[in-house]
Amino acid sequence: MQSHTQTPQLTFSRLPPTPTARFEPMTRLSLYRDSASAAAAATPLLESDDPNVIAQALAERGLGYERWPVKPELPATADSAAVLAAYADEIAQVQASGTYPTVDAIRLGPDHPDRAALRQKFLAEHTHSEDEVRFFVEGRGLFVIHLAGEVLQVLCETGDFLRVPAGTKHWFDMGSAPQFTAIRFFDNPAGWVAEFTGDPIADRFPLLD
C-alpha cells in the first residue's frame, strides 16, 4: 500500500567550521543489476567518477546531471535565505523556463535532532508526482534511482545538480552523520510530497556509510 507524505519539516543546523581551501569533490556513479539476491546486488556492473561518463549514463536513462561552479564556503550561521541569495543567479536560470516556481534550501548537520528519523524516511523507496531537482551547495548525499532492471547510485557532492523525472522510483541516504546543504526546486507550492512503494529494495544495496 502506498502512503502519502508531505514535506518533512527540516530546520537548519549549525555545521562545523570547514577549511578555507576548496577541493574538487569526487562524484561517483555505481550501476547495479536489479536483483533479489543481496550478493548480486552488491556487485556493480559499472563504476565511474568521470563527470562526462556520469552525465552521459544518466542522460541515456532520462535523468539530468550537471556540475555547477562552486562558490566560497557559506558561514556556519548562514540560513535558508542566505543560501538562496548566494545562488540567486543560478536559481533564476533554472526557473527561467517556468517549470519550478517553488524553491527552498535545507541544511543538515550531524547534530540535527531528527537526523535518524529523517534518514529512515528518505531511505524508503518512493516516487513523486513531480521532478525531484536538487543542487548540492555543500556536503554530500547518496541518490539511488530504481529503473527497469537497474539500480543507479549517484554519490552527489558539492557542485552537483541532479534532476530525477516525476514517477521515478528512488531513495536517498544522507548517512548516519549528515552534513549537506541543498537547494530544492519544485513545480508545486506543497514542496516535497512522496508516495512510498513499500518495496524494501533499499535494504539490498550499499548505504552511504
Side-chain angles (χ1 to χ4, degrees), residues 6 12 17 20 22 25 30 44 54 75 77 79 87 118-119 135 152 199 202:
Q6 291 191 338
F12 271 53
T20 56
R22 302 295 275 165
S30 299
I54 294 172
T77 55
D79 59 8
Y87 285 87
L118 288 169
R119 184 187 192 191
F135 170 63
L152 292 83
D199 188 337

Side-chain angles (χ1 to χ4, degrees), residues 22-28 49-56 58 64-71 87 90 93 134-141 154-163:
R22 302 295 275 165
F23 64 93
E24 185 68 20
M26 297 298 290
T27 306
R28 190 165 189 81
D49 54 18
D50 184 327
N52 294 322
V53 172
I54 294 172
Q56 180 177 345
L58 295 182
Y65 171 79
E66 300 174 14
R67 285 286 300 162
W68 287 7
V70 177
K71 296 190 175 183
Y87 285 87
E90 289 81 0
Q93 291 179 25
R134 301 289 181 268
F135 170 63
F136 280 79
V137 175
E138 300 170 321
R140 56 172 14 193
V154 185
L155 177 59
C156 292
E157 299 275 5
T158 302
D160 283 340
F161 178 89
L162 183 68
R163 182 184 60 81

Side-chain angles (χ1 to χ4, degrees), residues 138-153:
E138 300 170 321
R140 56 172 14 193
L142 185 67
F143 264 99
V144 190
I145 299 115
H146 181 195
L147 303 175
E150 296 180 328
V151 171
L152 292 83
Q153 287 193 331

